[in-house]
Amino acid sequence: MLAVTDLPTRFGAIFPRSRLLALTSALPVVVLPVLMLGFLVNPSWYEANLMVFAAVALLVGLPHGAVDLFLELGPSGVPQGRALVRQLLVYLLAVTATLATIIWYPVLGVGTFLAISAWHFGSGESAFNACRRGRVPRLAPAETVSYSAPLTVVPIVLWRDQVREFIDPLGGSGVTDALTGPAWVVAVVATAAMGYTVVRKAMRRHWTEIGELVLLWAAAVVLPPLALFSVYFALWHSPRHVIRTLPELPGNRGDLSRGHLFRGVLRYLAYTVPGTVGALAIFAALLVINNDTMFVNLHPATWAGALLAALTMPHALTILRYDLWLNRIR
């Protein structure tokens, strides 16, 4: 059985020889340029099918966050009852606080949601890059901001009208306009961070990572935000998140130490079923509830968006705790 401190290094040693890692790394890099070219040739098709993109992203990407309660976030080799109960309570508290803040303080709620989501996406890319090189993930603020900006603040700056269609129904009229100023400031900082990150990676000859980062920024300029996020969430973020958290799922350590990668992936997928089914059931219920019976008379689509944000927040905080723990044991 692997020692906890050996997990990231051993995991990185497995994946350079893995077809799964090669597929996970290559899939979005192939799909995004095709979508960008297609949008430039025929933008009307994409605009007519944006909700299809959103539905696919939800169905394919949602399961990756459904195993948070099973992740081993401490030094022991087996999950402990108290830790699971504490994690569940934190999850429920974060969901409740997010829903309440978005409903009653929309600018604060949506802004906080975007900020935490941005850190989650960016730190996930940074951590995956480290695992791909066989190193322990570490907090890298400049790299994190570089990867997160194309998915959060750049769309607000460059595609405000399209972003407004999704943010304003969630938080109320004027939320997008209120967030535009701060988004510009963060976008400027992120551009500088991106340049700094590219230079550092070039010095270390991390050409694949440079190519992915530049591609993500180019896609943020060319593709409508929902199309970009749908592809990123389903084909980029979610598979890479699964790969980097595989060792922390109870039962996977022994398989990974013996090189049984696909057995670990199948176990991970099995763990996602209860949470995914539960979340989809809640979404489906919200879509059929009559507007007149809704709490504070919010539209079901607004509740669906608020619930998605509420589920994202505790997931992002859970993974932040995981990353902080990895940094402590280095």
Side-chain angles (χ1 to χ4, degrees):
M1 186 69 68
L2 290 173
V4 173
T5 52
D6 291 337
L7 282 172
T9 300
R10 172 62 174 141
F11 203 44
I14 293 173
F15 276 134
R17 301 188 304 273
S18 168
R19 293 179 181 178
L20 179 63
L21 177 69
L23 177 63
T24 303
S25 299
L27 188 59
V29 176
V30 172
V31 172
L32 272 180
V34 173
L35 286 179
M36 291 164 63
L37 179 61
F39 178 76
L40 293 174
V41 173
N42 186 15
S44 60
W45 184 87
Y46 287 83
E47 294 169 359
N49 291 278
L50 285 179
M51 296 313 298
V52 175
F53 279 101
V56 171
L58 184 65
L59 292 173
V60 177
L62 188 62
H64 87 277
V67 299
D68 290 351
L69 297 179
F70 303 107
L71 289 178
E72 174 55 50
L73 300 177
S76 63
V78 294
Q80 298 179 1
R82 288 185 179 180
L84 292 177
V85 171
R86 183 170 59 250
Q87 180 69 2
L88 179 60
L89 291 176
V90 170
Y91 224 84
L92 294 176
L93 179 62
V95 167
T96 303
T98 303
L99 281 172
T101 306
I102 289 178
I103 292 171
W104 284 295
Y105 303 97
V107 175
L108 175 63
V110 175
T112 302
F113 163 64
L114 290 176
I116 293 180
S117 298
W119 182 268
H120 175 63
F121 294 138
S123 62
E125 295 305 318
S126 177
F128 178 81
N129 289 337
C131 288
R132 184 161 51 184
R133 297 192 300 267
R135 296 186 177 183
V136 178
R138 63 180 182 84
L139 298 181
E143 185 176 12
T144 296
V145 173
S146 300
Y147 279 102
S148 63
L151 303 160
T152 50
V153 294
V154 173
I156 295 177
V157 170
L158 298 182
W159 299 85
R160 184 166 61 173
D161 290 339
Q162 287 85 346
V163 170
R164 193 194 314 276
E165 296 177 5
F166 302 98
I167 289 185
D168 281 6
L170 173 61
S173 177
V175 172
T176 303
D177 291 335
L179 295 174
T180 300
W184 268 103
V185 175
V186 177
V188 172
V189 174
T191 302
M194 187 263 201
Y196 170 76
T197 300
V198 167
V199 170
R200 287 195 67 206
K201 291 183 179 298
M203 293 174 62
R204 300 174 181 181
R205 299 184 179 182
H206 296 161
W207 307 117
T208 298
E209 297 172 17
I210 292 175
E212 292 176 348
L213 180 58
V214 171
L215 173 62
L216 198 57
W217 276 78
V221 174
V222 174
L223 288 176
L226 186 57
L228 168 61
F229 182 79
S230 298
V231 174
Y232 171 81
F233 187 63
L235 301 182
W236 193 317
H237 172 73
S238 298
R240 294 183 181 206
H241 174 88
V242 171
I243 279 184
R244 80 183 189 92
T245 55
L246 267 176
E248 290 306 310
L249 191 65
N252 270 3
R253 293 178 180 175
D255 285 338
L256 291 176
S257 66
R258 292 186 290 271
H260 299 159
L261 179 61
F262 284 96
R263 184 182 299 175
V265 173
L266 291 176
R267 180 183 289 109
Y268 196 104
L269 294 177
Y271 271 86
T272 69
V273 173
T276 302
V277 171
L280 290 177
I282 295 174
F283 279 118
L286 290 174
L287 293 177
V288 299
I289 291 177
N290 186 279
N291 188 47
D292 293 335
T293 64
M294 293 294 289
F295 182 63
V296 299
N297 291 325
L298 289 179
H299 191 275
T302 302
W303 269 102
L307 179 63
L308 181 60
L311 292 174
T312 300
M313 293 285 270
H315 167 64
L317 292 174
T318 296
I319 302 307
L320 176 60
R321 287 180 56 212
Y322 173 66
D323 289 338
L324 291 174
W325 170 69
L326 282 180
N327 277 261
R328 286 198 301 271
I329 66 172
R330 291 181 69 221

